[in-house]
Amino acid sequence: MGFKEGFLWGGATAANQLEGAWDVDGRGPSTDDVATGGSATAPRYLTYRMPDGTVGKGGLFSLDEIPSEAEFCCVEGEYYPNHEGIDFYHRYEEDIQLFAEMGFKAFRMSIAWSRIFPAGDELEPNEAGLAFYDRVFDCLIAHGIEPVVTISHYETPLGLVNKWGAWRDRRTIDCFCRYAETVFRRYRDKVKYWMTFNEINCMNINGWIGAGVASGDPRVTLPAAHNQLVAAARAVRMGHEINPDFQIGCMVTFSQGMVYPYCCDPADVHAAWELAARCYFFLDVQCRGYYPSYQLKYYEHEGIHVDITDEDRADLAAGTVDYIGFSYYRSCVATTHDDVPLVAPDSPMAKVLGVKNPYLGTTDWGWTIDPLGLRNALDVLYDRYQMPLFVVENGFGAIDEVGPDGIVADDARIAYMRAHIEAMRDAVDEDGVDLMGYTMWGPIDLVSASTGEMRKRYGFIYVDKHDDGTGTLARSRKKSFGWYRHVIETNGAEL
């Protein structure tokens, strides 16, 4: 049996983490362009200017320390790794050739919203930005690679943030829908597979990354998330009208959904459900078309006001998705006990990474390694929603060293991916899951979203770029490059 014919093997990236060319050909600044570099132990910062002209910076994972009157901007003397990324903007042909050499069937990428609408609220798009993605899609298609496109992947035009707080304001819904309609119509004959928002449920932990909202307060972030859900639903309905053959999915991080109780204490079991429910809610709305009762009760108990209009309800019901895309890097643990250690207490993401699972190891960045958790995730999601699933992110961030022979011997990455692909195969063969494809995260080294590092590498392709901005940007094949090529050649039969 194994993976079905036409399985979408490939890799996944995001425009803000690899394109660079942040101010080229009319592109406007995005939320990621004001984020400095960081590390596994040093937080990444956002830079801003106050009305009196003074500049400041606040942590990417401590947003509530940023004054409400701050205007976000780039500050002289700071290093912003996403400004250059790995210069995919000028090197995409070389990179796509390498993807084709591995045998990619699909390449998941995103369109930079501010490359199409530089401030976010223009009425007419930037033709130079549209033309760039025409060239990228044409190159992919020429190599037999299916584009899988995320419309909004962890970046919002900075103009919308500074103008009215981005997704805090319902006017952003119309701006997004104008952008979505533009790219749907422009690429209707080049792109079949779409996703609306990348990891939309990241709004549970960080309003900035997902929506340009400088707050971690759920009374602020969850009303903003509602605006995104309405925008996503309108976009899905619009996309199907523009081209009925479009396959439009949602995308969540299921690291927030694959939650284990720390022990068999019933209170821990309930805590695991409550944490997982914050993820399921986003899927329930986008797959079923309405707010589940448990989420409405959560708002009531927490004093969270979300203005859900009759028009919103109609939009959500009419804009359900065709498939579920999700990322899976790790599982997590919930507990009500105070004496349980954190998995990575010194990390800026300590609260996000949560409680240590005593049965599992971790990466150098404290991310729990749990291949069986991926099978569990596939089983749970398919049982709950009975619609096609697509693993659109899964990968292993590590410190890769170039050996004397010029090769990166990334055996740990191969072992990680082999175990996770085996888990997917078991879910398909043993459990009957309908799985569309697998696009591993970071087929080529790129800037880390959480830390802003190049040192945290994911790729099959090494990029000579370092955390201080130095490097030639030269590309070279790691050991895993040939391994993944063989996996694709055998449709996952030989790992």
Side-chain angles (χ1 to χ4, degrees):
M1 293 177 63
F3 299 105
K4 61 186 176 183
E5 185 178 352
F7 190 80
L8 295 172
W9 294 101
T13 62
N16 56 308
Q17 292 170 253
L18 88 165
E19 277 184 7
W22 76 291
D23 58 353
V24 170
D25 293 335
R27 181 188 182 278
S30 81
T31 48
D32 223 33
D33 293 321
V34 295
T36 67
S39 72
T41 56
R44 199 174 189 191
Y45 288 96
L46 304 175
T47 55
Y48 56 84
R49 180 173 290 107
M50 298 297 291
D52 64 2
T54 60
V55 298
K57 58 183 182 180
L60 186 61
F61 291 95
S62 52
L63 294 167
D64 292 320
E65 68 188 26
I66 298 174
S68 59
E69 62 270 28
E71 180 177 78
F72 295 92
C73 62
C74 297
V75 174
E76 188 175 350
E78 295 290 345
Y79 174 57
Y80 302 96
N82 299 76
H83 286 191
E84 183 181 39
I86 59 166
D87 197 29
F88 179 82
Y89 191 83
H90 297 106
R91 296 168 181 259
Y92 68 88
E93 291 176 302
E94 174 190 358
D95 294 338
I96 291 172
Q97 175 61 48
L98 288 166
F99 301 155
E101 186 181 331
M102 272 188 284
F104 277 23
K105 310 301 181 186
F107 176 54
R108 180 185 171 225
M109 53 174 283
S110 68
I111 295 174
W113 184 352
S114 64
R115 204 176 284 287
I116 309 304
F117 290 92
D121 63 345
E122 295 92 345
L123 299 181
E124 298 296 328
N126 172 33
E127 174 58 29
L130 290 168
F132 167 68
Y133 293 107
D134 270 320
R135 297 193 296 272
V136 172
F137 296 145
D138 289 344
C139 188
L140 288 167
I141 293 165
H143 285 89
I145 299 173
E146 189 87 51
V148 178
V149 177
T150 311
I151 300 173
S152 179
H153 189 135
Y154 279 4
E155 58 182 348
T156 304
L158 200 64
L160 295 180
V161 176
N162 288 330
K163 190 168 187 177
W164 57 53
W167 286 101
R168 293 178 187 240
D169 194 299
R170 290 183 67 98
R171 286 174 289 183
T172 302
I173 297 174
D174 291 335
C175 293
F176 177 84
C177 289
R178 185 182 304 117
Y179 161 51
E181 181 178 8
T182 298
V183 297
F184 281 152
R185 292 193 182 282
R186 178 70 171 232
Y187 309 122
R188 59 171 294 162
D189 298 321
K190 298 181 180 183
V191 178
K192 176 181 179 180
Y193 297 99
W194 300 86
M195 281 171 280
T196 49
F197 291 92
N198 178 72
E199 295 187 336
I200 189 169
N201 57 320
C202 81
M203 291 294 285
N204 287 323
I205 57 175
N206 192 292
W208 183 266
I209 289 176
V213 174
S215 176
D217 185 342
R219 292 170 298 182
V220 176
T221 58
L222 287 173
H226 172 73
N227 292 337
Q228 289 192 329
L229 288 166
V230 171
R234 290 184 186 177
V236 169
R237 185 175 61 182
M238 180 199 314
H240 287 149
E241 291 171 354
I242 291 170
N243 186 344
D245 292 332
F246 279 168
Q247 291 291 297
I248 309 173
C250 60
M251 199 289 204
V252 300
T253 168
F254 208 65
S255 297
Q256 293 181 21
M258 196 67 256
V259 187
Y260 306 129
Y262 183 74
C263 67
C264 55
D265 180 348
D268 276 13
V269 175
H270 187 71
W273 152 246
E274 286 191 320
L275 183 57
R278 304 286 79 78
C279 174
Y280 282 122
F281 146 63
F282 286 89
L283 288 166
D284 285 352
V285 173
Q286 294 177 97
C287 298
R288 295 172 171 171
Y290 57 88
Y291 269 72
S293 57
Y294 63 81
Q295 187 70 11
L296 295 176
K297 278 295 182 183
Y298 170 71
Y299 291 159
E300 180 182 325
H301 296 322
E302 298 297 320
I304 298 169
H305 175 70
V306 178
D307 183 19
I308 307 174
T309 68
D310 289 341
E311 183 183 8
D312 292 345
R313 293 185 181 91
D315 285 332
L316 295 175
T320 55
V321 295
D322 300 309
Y323 67 91
I324 295 171
F326 70 99
S327 65
Y328 177 86
Y329 295 92
R330 60 185 181 88
S331 56
C332 60
V333 174
T335 186
T336 58
H337 300 267
D338 296 330
D339 57 348
V340 180
L342 296 175
V343 64
D346 297 327
S347 169
M349 296 180 66
K351 290 183 179 179
V352 176
L353 296 173
V355 172
K356 182 176 177 59
N357 188 324
Y359 299 98
L360 299 172
T362 66
T363 70
D364 291 336
W365 275 262
W367 293 41
T368 300
I369 300 172
D370 181 13
L372 183 56
L374 178 54
R375 179 179 177 179
N376 294 336
L378 289 163
D379 290 345
V380 167
L381 287 170
Y382 192 60
D383 178 66
R384 187 180 180 102
Y385 298 106
Q386 291 292 299
M387 64 171 53
L389 305 179
F390 195 163
V391 180
V392 295
E393 287 186 32
N394 169 245
F396 182 77
I399 300 169
D400 291 338
E401 301 291 346
V402 181
D405 57 358
I407 301 294
V408 174
D410 55 341
D411 295 279
R413 177 169 295 108
I414 292 172
Y416 174 96
M417 295 190 61
R418 177 184 291 120
H420 284 77
I421 294 172
E422 284 176 343
M424 291 194 312
R425 193 168 60 191
D426 289 343
V428 171
D429 280 348
E430 304 298 328
D431 310 328
V433 168
D434 182 2
L435 186 60
M436 298 167 53
Y438 174 78
T439 52
M440 64 78 63
W441 177 256
I444 184 169
D445 293 343
L446 37 63
V447 178
S448 167
S450 58
T451 65
E453 294 173 281
M454 283 299 301
R455 182 170 175 261
K456 184 183 183 185
R457 298 178 181 274
Y458 283 89
F460 303 124
I461 301 165
Y462 183 86
V463 178
D464 183 35
K465 177 77 180 292
H466 308 288
D467 289 342
D468 61 359
T470 61
T472 66
L473 294 173
R475 277 64 163 155
S476 60
R477 299 162 185 80
K478 301 179 188 178
K479 183 177 179 180
S480 58
F481 184 101
W483 175 82
Y484 195 52
R485 178 171 57 199
H486 186 70
V487 170
I488 297 174
E489 284 174 349
T490 64
N491 198 30
E494 297 179 14
L495 303 177

